Amino acid sequence: MVIEIKELIERNKLLELCEYLQELNSVDVANQLMDLEDEELVLVFRVLPKDIAAEVFSYLDKDSQQHIVESITDREVTQIVDKLFLDDTVDFIEELPANVVKKVIRNTSPQKRELINQFLQYAQYSAGSIMTIEFVDLKAYMTVKEAINHTRKTGTTKETLETCFIIDQARHLLGSVTLKDLILSEDDMIIEDIMDTNLISVQTSVDQEEVAHLFKAYDLVTMPVVDKENRLVGMITIDDVVDIIEQENTEDFQKMAAMAPNEEPYLKTPVLSLAKHRIIWLLVLMISATVTGRIIQGFEEVIQSVVILASFIPMLMDTGGNAGSQSSTLIIRGLALGEITTHDYLKVMFKELRVGSVVAIVLSVVNFLRIYFIEHVEFMVGITVCASLFFTVILAKVVGSILPIIAKKLKFDPAIMASPLITTIVDAFALIVYFMLARTLLGI
Amino acid sequence: MVIEIKELIERNKLLELCEYLQELNSVDVANQLMDLEDEELVLVFRVLPKDIAAEVFSYLDKDSQQHIVESITDREVTQIVDKLFLDDTVDFIEELPANVVKKVIRNTSPQKRELINQFLQYAQYSAGSIMTIEFVDLKAYMTVKEAINHTRKTGTTKETLETCFIIDQARHLLGSVTLKDLILSEDDMIIEDIMDTNLISVQTSVDQEEVAHLFKAYDLVTMPVVDKENRLVGMITIDDVVDIIEQENTEDFQKMAAMAPNEEPYLKTPVLSLAKHRIIWLLVLMISATVTGRIIQGFEEVIQSVVILASFIPMLMDTGGNAGSQSSTLIIRGLALGEITTHDYLKVMFKELRVGSVVAIVLSVVNFLRIYFIEHVEFMVGITVCASLFFTVILAKVVGSILPIIAKKLKFDPAIMASPLITTIVDAFALIVYFMLARTLLGI
């Protein structure tokens, strides 16, 4: 499709281009625009019909948005910003360098400017920063007919009409009705009698992760946002929550692989920035591995007498690490989804103890059969290896399951207690057990 | 709150209990019901006002639903199933044992029974299995006023009215209008003129992961589902997509920690089932560790001459594993979110080569300084360890980034190419490099 656009540009068929773009979904237009060269991008963006330009703009990435704002006239900027929903405007302003922000703010109505400034004060990732203020508010004493008329009058500029909120004179939140309720009710019914007063709402300062939790727990589609005095200030819609859920998941994946979280898409992140996000944890974990090194040094004489023992170290360490990270992953995920709470720690430990025992027995027996019958190691060496494996797996399961819960209890993110850290801890334990058992069982 | 319910039951204040429950959100009622003993559960469920009983029922877990259906009369079953939305009915029937399913089906109207059977034929995790059939359909020739009247007449039993779909006589999908569009348009406008014809739709057989992708890419709230002839058969709503997104993420987390995916919540999964999901990969990975064992055995004489070399094995292996799993995690996530495609493999490899070099230099230098100046190892041993670390980290980064892409290309799930597998592969490489360098540099 990009080829078609390029061809129409080259042949200077701008009217055809305009018609062609009009038939596409705004998301697709945005995707294709981002594949163009910078000059073409601005050219095509200017060709876009005015009514879809703002929508397409909201789907562009930061770089393209910035390039367009820098290249077009002040009047054109005003036209776009006027048509953008406030939350989209704020989203893109937050990402821009100061000089471009100035150009945008300069070309915004004083009223909208004030709103933007207010929005920029909400903490990042708070309910306030993700809410929209384009919603319909109704009064409790209205009839359904009045409410529908009011909606018709004020609704055109609103992001969604699916839910309307009912407020009193002082803007305190009283209840909600869906557009469906309005349509399905008799004209002369009073809003107060049909509104839903059993509302789940959040304050502006609540973290977006908590917002996503509430949406999932209560199957919500919209949620009102209130200030400390329960006055309605905005509304959060589920399409933004979907983005938050993916963002939070990405963050968990990154933390669990020992990286500093980073929101930017991989291919757009500069090499040094990627390196920076990874190096700290790698350094910390590398230096903690000093401990395992010291343990091996402390048991040097064991390795020297029975060198074959060294060859089972990787298997022991890896299996312990894998067993532990299975448990920690399940618990971290359970905590994130709210399926497990910190109160369940005893249940979890006991469960992992049992799961760990089953897994440990199977692994130890299979391993013994393999190294005794296939690799022909001495009987007592085989026993040493498999007994160590047995204890390591059980401990790895218990440690892997309990550390995320402890982290959560201490208000850390459980996701840091994942594979890399668990592996380092389990390694040390595995080696101590291994060498102690070797000393005892092999009489070194 | 559960205590309050228990108290009201003990004092036999059923009317008060009914009033108390009526004031709560259905989700909260369901959560509290699940905390009750089995007999109390049925008792309280019977006390629930009829209009919220079905909704509460749809939020209960499988065990509670089954217990209720087994305990209540056939007439009561009919009442609940009649009020349940079809997709919720199908969801819960899919989970039940045959005798309970019979009791449900027996108490369902023939018409609904046919629909249920039709639904049960859609493949699990397909668009057909997650769609709802309770939506409003309109004709293109209707006026807005006629459309609103039609909606009012048929809308009460529909799950959502936010989007209405326009079909022709043969039920071919023509377009959609939102309830917002209807409300904001003049009464005498024709639906054909205001409908959106630029629809994103899926066929019943499309996988739910693809459905979730489309919702995210196009910021959808509803999506029509069609058969092979583009005839409208259902609609998917975003609240179900949110569940799918979390389900797919959970699956990825589990696969990435070398577990067979399992949808049941952790605390509800039996010990043996948890063990079964974990054991296979642990066995496979344990047995692949034979390779690393063999490598160490092959270089036995190196360890015997310079025993201290053994003490750096854990650090080398762990750091390599961590470096590799950082890369694989980023790439797996990027592929899952559609930010990276298999065509980007060269870009990705080159990027990881550069990131890997930066990270490898920092780690090697820090490590050398530590072991040379603090642990006082010989200069050449330090060089051996750090050169091995350097090559291991770079290789880990490249292998970690490219294996998920290869998996995707071969139509496997990239998530299996995560930390555990990468670690096993990188271990083998790290040891070979380490011992070869030791032989050469230390002249063993």
Side-chain angles (χ1 to χ4, degrees), chain B residues 36 66 68 92 170 203 279 301 441:
Chain B
L36 296 174
Q66 182 178 338
I68 288 177
F92 109 91
Q203 289 193 9
I279 195 78
E301 86 288 359
L441 295 179

Side-chain angles (χ1 to χ4, degrees), chain A residues 269-299:
Chain A
T269 316
V271 168
L272 280 180
S273 165
L274 282 173
K276 204 184 74 189
H277 292 127
R278 303 185 193 178
I279 194 79
I280 308 224
W281 268 105
L282 286 179
L283 275 172
V284 170
L285 293 166
M286 183 182 78
I287 291 173
S288 358
T290 315
V291 177
T292 43
R294 286 276 159 84
I295 294 171
I296 296 186
Q297 283 167 32
F299 289 93

Side-chain angles (χ1 to χ4, degrees), chain A residues 18 33 78 103 116 120 131 142 154 168 228 243 251 268 274 277 283 315 327 337 339 370 416:
Chain A
C18 178
L33 253 57
T78 311
K103 184 168 178 180
I116 291 175
L120 290 174
M131 70 187 186
M142 286 177 169
T154 62
D168 66 12
K228 283 186 187 138
D243 297 338
E251 215 181 272
K268 301 243 167 195
L274 282 173
H277 292 127
L283 275 172
M315 183 277 295
S327 305
L337 293 179
E339 289 171 2
R370 184 179 70 80
I416 57 167

Side-chain angles (χ1 to χ4, degrees), chain B residues 56-75:
Chain B
V56 169
F57 185 84
S58 73
Y59 289 120
L60 291 173
D61 60 17
K62 182 185 101 182
D63 293 345
S64 308
Q65 287 182 333
Q66 182 178 338
H67 185 75
I68 288 177
V69 172
E70 284 171 342
S71 312
I72 61 180
T73 66
D74 282 14
R75 228 187 100 244

Side-chain angles (χ1 to χ4, degrees), chain B residues 152-368:
Chain B
R152 285 191 149 176
K153 233 181 294 166
T154 61
T156 34
T157 58
K158 308 305 181 186
E159 191 168 342
T160 170
L161 295 185
E162 212 197 334
T163 316
C164 305
F165 295 103
I166 294 97
I167 51 175
D168 66 12
Q169 293 299 343
R171 299 197 61 81
H172 292 117
L173 178 63
L174 301 179
S176 73
V177 282
T178 61
L179 199 51
K180 174 180 167 183
D181 297 332
L182 286 181
I183 288 289
L184 297 184
S185 300
E186 301 295 324
D187 277 349
D188 53 358
M189 289 186 80
I190 304 295
I191 293 296
E192 187 162 18
D193 299 329
I194 63 164
M195 73 184 183
D196 182 4
T197 55
N198 204 337
L199 286 190
I200 311 289
S201 65
V202 287
Q203 289 193 9
T204 48
S205 57
V206 168
D207 188 81
Q208 62 175 15
E209 197 169 356
E210 173 63 17
V211 172
H213 264 302
L214 291 170
F215 265 85
K216 286 185 279 181
Y218 292 96
D219 265 353
L220 304 177
V221 184
T222 56
M223 185 199 271
V225 181
V226 294
D227 65 11
K228 283 185 187 139
E229 279 83 43
N230 195 36
R231 285 180 305 224
L232 183 65
V233 290
M235 160 174 90
I236 297 172
T237 52
I238 194 171
D239 51 316
D240 294 324
V241 173
V242 168
D243 297 340
I244 292 166
I245 291 175
E246 286 296 26
Q247 205 177 307
E248 297 285 340
N249 278 315
T250 300
E251 214 180 274
D252 275 357
F253 276 108
Q254 290 170 341
K255 282 189 190 157
M256 287 171 75
M259 283 175 281
N262 168 33
E263 267 179 45
E264 268 186 286
Y266 174 80
L267 291 174
K268 300 245 168 194
T269 315
V271 169
L272 279 180
S273 165
L274 281 174
K276 203 183 75 189
H277 291 128
R278 303 185 193 178
I279 195 78
I280 309 228
W281 268 105
L282 285 180
L283 275 172
V284 170
L285 292 167
M286 184 181 79
I287 290 172
S288 356
T290 316
V291 178
T292 44
R294 286 276 159 84
I295 294 171
I296 295 185
Q297 284 167 30
F299 290 93
E300 226 170 59
E301 86 288 359
V302 178
I303 295 185
Q304 236 153 359
S305 351
V306 192
V307 181
I308 195 158
L309 285 178
S311 73
F312 296 109
I313 291 179
M315 184 277 296
L316 260 184
M317 284 174 37
D318 282 351
T319 308
N322 290 335
S325 68
Q326 287 181 333
S327 305
S328 69
T329 300
L330 281 185
I331 303 308
I332 291 169
R333 188 66 183 151
L335 288 168
L337 293 179
E339 289 171 0
I340 300 172
T341 68
T342 49
H343 300 295
D344 296 319
Y345 71 100
L346 276 180
K347 265 191 239 172
V348 169
M349 272 181 80
F350 184 54
K351 195 153 202 171
E352 285 304 304
L353 204 60
R354 287 179 295 161
V355 176
S357 307
V358 174
V359 171
I361 290 171
V362 176
L363 290 175
S364 307
V365 170
V366 171
N367 199 47
F368 182 80

